[in-house]
Amino acid sequence: MKQRSGSAQARWEQHTQQPLFGLAAVFAVAYAVPIVQPDASADVKWWCEVTEWAVWGAFAFDYLVRVALAERRREFVRSHWLDLCAVVLPMIQPLRLLRVVATLLLVGQRARIASQIRLTTYVGGSVVGLLMFGSLAVLSVERNSPDGNIHTLGDAVWWSFTTMTTVGYGDHAPTTGLGRVLAVGLMLSGIALLGVVTANIAAWFIARFEKDDAEERRQTAAIAELTEEVRLLRAEVAALRSSGGAVPKQRL
């Protein structure tokens, strides 16, 4: 259901969009610090944990407010079921990875709501976000694996990039079950984003060709109309000459 641009829900979404994106950036930092710095103090890790839950709580509160402001709440819940899943997911089992997935889903849904965000910006942000979170997530689950070969952030970023692009060199690969689940998610996300980019480029070319065809048809119609006017004028002049009448100067 499309809400009216002047509704309370639309105004709330417009005013909270940028603050929520800022909180998502804060979440990214809080999630990355304990992974990039595994020897960080217990206090730093605790604050990062609190920050992650606080950001997720802000997105959950935003969802509840949007439900309360919606004109048809049941229709809103049905049409925004992915938001609901992202809000409920971390409560089922408090894993850090689930909070990552939930935050990515909620940020993505709010980005789609904002009509001023262009598709290219959305796709680019999705690629960067998936690369970053995918690298950090696989590093956190593979670093301590006995058979793992992803031990540094550089290895994780390289693995995420080759996985998202579906190249898969095989020099780095997850060995744990959770790591393989992450690999499947990144591969599917990479294929989906590639499809979006391809479709966007194709749509641009089609729109360009249609615009050129429309301009050509307009010019052809104008030339045909002008040709018809000239033909009628010549016929009128010929008729006047054959009848011996004078030809008006303004028509010559």
Side-chain angles (χ1 to χ4, degrees):
M1 180 188 66
K2 294 182 179 180
Q3 67 272 13
R4 293 176 299 178
S5 59
S7 66
Q9 179 191 343
R11 291 195 298 270
W12 171 266
E13 292 171 351
Q14 180 180 3
H15 292 147
T16 58
Q17 174 189 304
Q18 293 184 356
L20 288 177
F21 285 175
L23 287 177
V26 173
F27 175 89
V29 174
Y31 179 76
V33 168
I35 298 176
V36 178
Q37 299 291 334
D39 55 347
S41 64
D43 291 338
V44 172
K45 294 181 180 179
W46 183 83
W47 277 110
C48 291
E49 182 85 6
V50 171
T51 301
E52 291 177 21
W53 278 110
V55 172
W56 170 83
F59 275 98
F61 176 75
D62 170 72
Y63 174 78
L64 294 176
V65 172
R66 289 161 59 203
V67 172
L69 295 177
E71 297 177 357
R72 298 180 180 179
R73 296 177 182 176
R74 292 183 179 180
E75 180 66 23
F76 178 87
V77 173
R78 285 196 297 267
S79 60
H80 295 75
W81 61 270
L82 195 58
D83 298 55
L84 179 60
C85 292
V87 169
V88 175
L89 189 62
M91 299 178 63
I92 300 175
Q93 188 176 0
L95 293 176
R96 299 183 73 233
L97 183 59
L98 293 182
R99 294 200 295 275
V100 172
V101 175
T103 304
L104 286 175
L105 289 175
L106 290 171
V107 171
Q109 292 301 306
R110 288 307 304 269
R112 291 174 185 173
I113 290 172
S115 59
Q116 69 270 24
I117 298 181
R118 297 181 179 179
L119 180 61
T120 304
T121 303
Y122 176 74
V123 171
S126 300
V127 170
V128 173
L130 287 171
L131 279 174
M132 179 183 65
F133 282 110
S135 303
L136 294 172
V138 77
L139 180 60
S140 66
V141 300
E142 293 290 327
R143 171 183 282 158
N144 298 322
S145 176
D147 301 325
N149 53 21
I150 302 176
H151 302 292
T152 65
L153 184 60
D155 293 340
V157 172
W158 172 251
W159 171 84
S160 296
F161 189 83
T162 57
T163 301
M164 282 194 64
T165 55
T166 66
V167 175
Y169 286 110
D171 51 350
H172 295 287
T175 57
T176 63
L178 189 55
R180 289 169 180 171
V181 171
L182 288 171
V184 172
L186 279 179
M187 284 186 283
L188 294 177
S189 301
I191 294 172
L193 289 174
L194 181 61
V196 171
V197 172
T198 304
N200 191 33
I201 294 175
W204 182 85
F205 277 110
I206 292 174
R208 183 71 180 181
F209 291 150
E210 289 179 349
K211 182 179 179 180
D212 293 342
D213 290 342
E215 180 66 20
E216 184 178 352
R217 287 194 297 268
R218 187 189 66 81
Q219 294 178 357
T220 302
I223 292 173
E225 183 179 358
L226 182 60
T227 302
E228 181 65 16
E229 291 180 357
V230 172
R231 186 187 66 80
L232 293 176
L233 182 60
R234 288 179 176 177
E236 183 178 351
V237 171
L240 289 174
R241 286 178 176 175
S242 62
S243 61
V247 179
K249 293 183 178 180
Q250 63 272 18
R251 299 298 298 274
L252 291 179

